[in-house]
Amino acid sequence: QAGSVQVFGIDALSEARADRRAIERQTGVLFQGGALFSSLSVLENIAVPLQEQLELDPDLLHDLCWMKMRLAGLPSEAGHKLPSQLSGGMKKRAGLARALALDPPLLFLDEPSAGLDPITSAGLDKLIRDIARETGTTFVVVTHELQSILAIGDRCIMLDKQAQGMIAEGDPRRLRDDSTHPTVRAFFRREAA
């Protein structure tokens, strides 16, 4: 309810256009529903942030979009498909490819495995972990999925509505195994509070 938000030393709440653009170029977002433009192909969706932030030769733009598709584990045939022609998992990967378009050092993911079957969810978790390791990108993931927390998390921050803030912070495996906080224990044990 008070304070400031600093992203790479820049005031994230600043109204200055230059400050906002500097943060936009250093962050990516994967929305829970993917937020893909329905009238654009996967490749065109991935191109949007590149076209908004950079002036690139069309051939280079095309090559970069294909690279981001491969990084996100999308098959080449997905490039020319519309979002409506994709499965839920493919939509998430397309959204991830777009979020990675500008090679941001910081990526925000909102419930990335929401609505996915367990196998697809586990594959997406592995992909996120692999990309983080390969690129050095920091992922901030909002999720309620225990398997995802344990699979991709190095550091977990638990927020609680009643406490109106943070109730635990640390390695998710240590929180699961060692926490004495009743809400944290109930969450990791999937027990009713």
Side-chain angles (χ1 to χ4, degrees), residues 76-149:
S76 58
E77 61 269 13
H80 300 291
K81 291 186 177 183
L82 296 173
S84 62
Q85 299 171 302
L86 301 175
S87 68
M90 298 278 272
K91 286 179 188 175
K92 298 281 186 164
R93 287 174 184 260
L96 181 59
R98 184 179 61 193
L100 290 163
L102 292 167
D103 296 319
L106 180 60
L107 198 61
F108 295 95
L109 282 66
D110 181 21
E111 298 281 359
S113 58
L116 301 180
D117 65 80
I119 295 170
T120 303
S121 180
L124 187 60
D125 290 344
K126 182 182 180 321
L127 176 66
I128 291 166
R129 190 72 179 177
D130 290 348
I131 291 171
R133 286 184 177 140
E134 291 171 17
T135 66
T137 302
T138 297
F139 284 79
V140 177
V141 181
V142 175
T143 186
H144 297 89
E145 299 290 333
L146 287 175
Q147 292 304 111
S148 292
I149 293 168

Side-chain angles (χ1 to χ4, degrees), residues 1-7 9-17 19-20 23:
Q1 296 180 14
S4 66
V5 177
Q6 297 283 319
V7 179
I10 301 168
D11 179 2
L13 304 177
S14 170
E15 294 186 23
R17 180 176 168 90
D19 289 346
R20 285 196 321 265
I23 291 172

Side-chain angles (χ1 to χ4, degrees), residues 29-180:
V29 178
L30 171 59
F31 298 96
Q32 182 174 345
L36 298 169
F37 296 106
S38 61
S39 62
L40 300 180
S41 71
V42 168
L43 282 171
E44 291 168 333
N45 266 283
I46 297 167
V48 169
L50 293 165
Q51 291 169 322
E52 286 182 353
Q53 298 289 333
L54 306 170
E55 291 184 28
L56 298 173
D57 173 78
D59 290 336
L60 178 58
L61 175 66
H62 183 264
D63 290 346
L64 285 171
C65 291
W66 281 107
M67 278 180 33
K68 298 308 174 181
M69 270 188 51
R70 283 191 298 278
L71 181 62
L74 286 166
S76 58
E77 61 269 13
H80 300 291
K81 291 186 177 183
L82 296 173
S84 62
Q85 299 171 302
L86 301 175
S87 68
M90 298 278 272
K91 286 179 188 175
K92 298 281 186 164
R93 287 174 184 260
L96 181 59
R98 184 179 61 193
L100 290 163
L102 292 167
D103 296 319
L106 180 60
L107 198 61
F108 295 95
L109 282 66
D110 181 21
E111 298 281 359
S113 58
L116 301 180
D117 65 80
I119 295 170
T120 303
S121 180
L124 187 60
D125 290 344
K126 182 182 180 321
L127 176 66
I128 291 166
R129 190 72 179 177
D130 290 348
I131 291 171
R133 286 184 177 140
E134 291 171 17
T135 66
T137 302
T138 297
F139 284 79
V140 177
V141 181
V142 175
T143 186
H144 297 89
E145 299 290 333
L146 287 175
Q147 292 304 111
S148 292
I149 293 168
L150 296 170
I152 62 178
D154 293 320
R155 179 174 172 226
C156 177
I157 296 174
M158 292 190 67
L159 304 176
D160 182 67
K161 185 177 180 180
Q162 282 186 315
Q164 295 184 359
M166 186 171 72
I167 59 170
E169 180 268 327
D171 182 298
R173 287 149 294 281
R174 295 191 86 182
L175 293 177
R176 176 196 63 199
D177 298 340
D178 302 333
S179 180
T180 58

